[in-house]
């Protein structure tokens, strides 16, 4: 592993998965392929873009304050009108 450069995504954990199919622009697919190549170079393990996407989305959602705020369960009583 190249310790001089770290990527935001980090090494991929081993997880159970569910198949999901989606369409994306060709330019995004090219960027994902380049990211996968850089990830493999950085962490010494070949990985394709399809394996990176779930981890990228998970990282994105974990960092989205609005999403986290909207999914927290709070017991806030409603005000009478």
């Amino acid at each position: 592993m190249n310790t001089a450069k770290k990527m935001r995504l980090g090494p991929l954990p081993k997880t159970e998965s569910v198949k999901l199919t989606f369409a994306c622009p060709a330019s995004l697919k090219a960027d994902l392929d380049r990211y996968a190549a850089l990830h493999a170079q950085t962490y010494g393990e070949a990985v394709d873009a399809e394996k990176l996407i779930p981890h990228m989305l998970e990282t994105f959602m974990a960092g989205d304050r609005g999403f986290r705020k909207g999914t927290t369960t709070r017991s806030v009583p409603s005000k009478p009108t």
Side-chain angles (χ1 to χ4, degrees):
M1 178 167 60
N2 183 352
T3 56
K5 288 197 264 183
K6 297 286 183 180
M7 298 181 73
R8 182 176 183 147
L9 190 56
L12 300 181
K14 304 292 184 213
T15 60
E16 182 181 338
S17 61
V18 175
K19 179 99 174 165
L20 178 67
T21 304
F22 75 100
C24 69
S27 60
L28 177 57
K29 174 63 167 107
D31 286 343
L32 289 167
D33 289 338
R34 284 197 310 274
Y35 193 100
L38 183 58
H39 191 277
Q41 179 183 352
T42 302
Y43 296 105
E45 184 177 343
V47 63
D48 58 12
E50 290 79 12
K51 292 205 190 294
L52 288 174
I53 293 169
H55 302 286
M56 295 170 111
L57 289 172
E58 186 175 53
T59 300
F60 171 82
M61 290 172 64
D64 186 322
R65 291 185 209 166
F67 176 73
R68 286 189 318 212
K69 186 176 181 181
T71 58
T72 59
T73 54
R74 296 185 204 171
S75 301
V76 179
S78 60
K79 294 182 180 180
T81 56

